[in-house]
Amino acid sequence: MLTILHHAAQLVGIAAAGECSVLANGSLLIRNGIIEWAGPAAEMPPITEDERDITWIDAQGKVVLPGFIDSHTHLLFAGSRVDEFEQRLRGMSYAEIMARGGGILRTVERVRRASKEELKALARPRLQRMLQFGVTTIEVKSGYGLTPADEIKCLEAIAELNAEGPWELVPTFLGAHAVPPEYRSNREGYIRSLCETMLPEIARRGLADFCDVFCEKDVFSIDESRRILKRARDLGLRLKLHADELSPLGGAELAAEMEATSADHLLCISDQGIDALAASGTVATLLPGTAFFLGRAYAPARRLIERGVTVALASDCNPGTCMTENLPLIGSMACMQMGMSPGEVVTALTRHAAAALARSDRLGSLAPGKQGDGIVCNVPDYREIFYHFGINHVECILKRGRVVHTS
Ligand code: NIG
Ligand code: FE
């Protein structure tokens, strides 16, 4: 099977390292789902295939990029929290709402009542919307079940949705998202359930690539987070951490210490936290949509980049702190609110996001040998995607070399 994207005004993100590469009048050859060649249209190697076996895509006047990767979402959930949205608009903070029994635990109630099939049916349109915005790989966290059976129900739903495709899903176990009400006076009991019941079964069944913890004041402390992450690491899972989101607890330092693949959020990261990430190679995943939605100060993207930290961007799509599937809009927020250049944003949504999912070997660029995940945007210059914001410019989506959506 051969797919040829021909004569793109710009072919963006061929380079597997360095700054965002932009090639004018480029073509791309994808054979059997893998990128075989990318370069100037005039230098395309001769094709010997029968014409009937080739899918030609004319990209004249358009931009071709690697499929976007959303490396941090909580999109498997039931119920709306629009009432909390309004409470926040009237001045109540996310932490106050949580302290009054709102927040994550309200979604937990709804998810516990939902069947696996119901959760899948609710997630599909969200995944479809993400795909339409050019997102071909999506990390999805559990964390709204908080019992062994409900967490496993969620992870099984993610596995089944992944098998349906055309999206590629990366499952993360976030059992340490909150202490559930039945353990309110027995946190130790819940942490034991995480470490001794849930994590071993999830690892044995291969239901999650990553283990994540919401390390936050009044949620899981640094010491509790370390204990859970250690157990996950010993069981062979890779690590992520919700770090320094609402308060400067030292989550970034813990992520670096634990050699986590990524430290996420970082709205309140300290200078020591930035140094720790720079020294460790842990990816900083920034989620400006959450700062926007909560009306908080943005993460210090420029300082992170200047210190040499690998910065990825993701949506955080969830009902409480960022209710959107529009990843390119997140890219516009990164430009306008965090001072990232459009080139840095493309890299953060592709190559660095692949690194945040430990899938750099296959994903994140249009380099030969990588998976044939690409998008065609109906703009002549990639910077238009973020400049002309809030609009969907994606016209054609390829996953593993196959056209999976056109508009
Ligand atoms: O990433 N911080 C923890 N988890 C989510 C919010 C989840 C929710 O409010 O339902 C976040 O912001
Ligand atoms: Fe999150």
Side-chain angles (χ1 to χ4, degrees):
M1 194 190 75
L2 186 62
T3 308
I4 302 176
L5 288 110
H6 213 25
H7 287 298
Q10 292 181 335
L11 195 53
V12 177
I14 304 176
E19 279 177 18
C20 177
S21 58
V22 181
L23 177 70
N25 195 14
S27 293
L28 183 71
L29 250 74
I30 308 173
R31 192 184 296 276
N32 299 327
I34 304 292
I35 295 169
E36 186 172 80
W37 182 86
E43 292 171 22
M44 196 168 84
I47 306 298
T48 51
E49 255 87 356
D50 192 311
E51 271 297 323
R52 282 168 305 187
D53 298 332
I54 305 175
T55 305
W56 287 93
I57 298 167
D58 179 7
Q60 268 187 74
K62 297 171 187 174
V63 174
V64 174
L65 310 98
F68 293 136
I69 298 170
D70 196 338
S71 64
H72 181 140
T73 86
H74 308 250
L75 69 80
L76 192 86
F77 63 86
S80 165
R81 305 229 304 269
V82 67
D83 49 347
E84 292 180 7
F85 172 64
E86 194 168 9
Q87 284 170 348
R88 273 206 322 281
L89 298 178
R90 285 204 231 98
M92 205 184 282
S93 74
Y94 180 73
E96 271 173 89
I97 292 170
M98 198 156 71
R100 294 180 181 209
I104 293 169
L105 292 179
R106 284 192 50 226
T107 303
V108 169
E109 256 173 58
R110 296 294 304 266
V111 166
R112 285 181 177 181
R113 276 194 272 137
S115 69
K116 185 164 72 181
E117 290 307 318
E118 284 165 345
L119 289 170
K120 281 161 57 183
L122 289 165
R124 267 186 215 104
R126 297 177 194 136
L127 292 168
Q128 191 61 41
R129 277 192 286 273
M130 286 192 174
L131 186 74
Q132 286 168 10
F133 280 114
V135 182
T136 49
T137 301
I138 305 161
E139 185 254 20
V140 188
K141 300 177 198 294
S142 71
Y144 292 123
L146 312 186
T147 67
D150 289 303
E151 284 295 304
I152 285 169
K153 171 178 77 181
C154 291
L155 291 170
E156 285 176 350
I158 296 166
E160 290 169 22
L161 289 164
N162 176 53
E164 284 175 20
W167 42 68
E168 174 175 346
L169 305 186
V170 179
T172 293
F173 172 59
L174 179 57
H177 198 191
V179 174
E182 61 277 16
Y183 281 99
R184 195 164 289 141
S185 52
N186 179 18
R187 317 176 49 81
E188 177 56 27
Y190 186 61
I191 295 170
R192 237 182 287 132
S193 167
L194 285 169
C195 292
E196 303 314 324
T197 309
M198 296 191 229
L199 272 168
E201 173 160 5
I202 287 160
R204 183 179 58 76
R205 293 181 53 194
L207 281 170
D209 286 17
F210 290 92
C211 175
D212 192 346
V213 175
F214 188 13
C215 178
E216 185 56 59
K217 193 160 141 296
D218 302 327
V219 191
F220 291 96
S221 70
I222 291 283
D223 286 342
E224 290 168 342
S225 301
R226 183 187 287 108
R227 196 172 139 199
I228 297 161
L229 293 175
K230 270 198 174 140
R231 180 71 174 133
R233 192 174 63 181
D234 289 346
L235 288 162
L237 276 81
R238 296 180 199 273
L239 308 180
K240 289 184 170 290
L241 192 64
H242 276 69
D244 304 322
E245 179 178 355
L246 306 169
S247 53
L249 219 62
E253 291 89 324
L254 176 64
E257 172 198 322
M258 296 301 298
E259 298 175 326
T261 307
S262 71
D264 300 36
H265 286 285
L266 307 175
L267 301 186
C268 305
I269 189 172
S270 66
D271 288 339
Q272 297 92 288
I274 295 178
D275 290 343
L277 292 185
S280 70
T282 296
V283 176
T285 299
L286 307 185
L287 309 148
T290 305
F292 172 76
F293 203 72
L294 295 181
R296 297 182 62 110
Y298 290 79
R302 286 258 55 93
R303 281 198 287 137
L304 286 158
I305 292 170
E306 273 146 28
R307 287 303 314 273
V309 176
T310 301
V311 169
L313 287 163
S315 72
D316 200 23
C317 175
N318 77 79
T321 67
C322 192
M323 190 56 206
T324 186
E325 294 93 341
N326 188 338
L327 194 57
L329 177 60
I330 301 294
S332 295
M333 290 178 191
C335 292
M336 294 178 286
Q337 302 296 320
M338 303 198 304
M340 288 176 70
S341 72
E344 286 169 339
V345 168
V346 168
T347 302
L349 293 174
T350 55
R351 218 174 62 221
H352 291 174
L357 295 181
R359 295 197 181 191
S360 298
D361 54 331
R362 296 195 286 110
L363 304 177
S365 77
L366 296 177
K370 295 282 156 83
Q371 195 167 290
D373 296 3
I375 60 175
V376 183
C377 292
N378 192 11
V379 286
D381 180 320
Y382 75 97
R383 296 173 301 177
E384 297 267 352
I385 299 168
F386 309 109
Y387 160 69
H388 188 173
F389 71 95
I391 297 299
N392 194 354
H393 299 285
V394 180
E395 195 178 79
C396 175
I397 299 159
L398 288 114
K399 185 68 185 173
R400 301 183 175 99
R402 263 177 220 288
V403 176
V404 295
H405 181 82
T406 47
S407 64

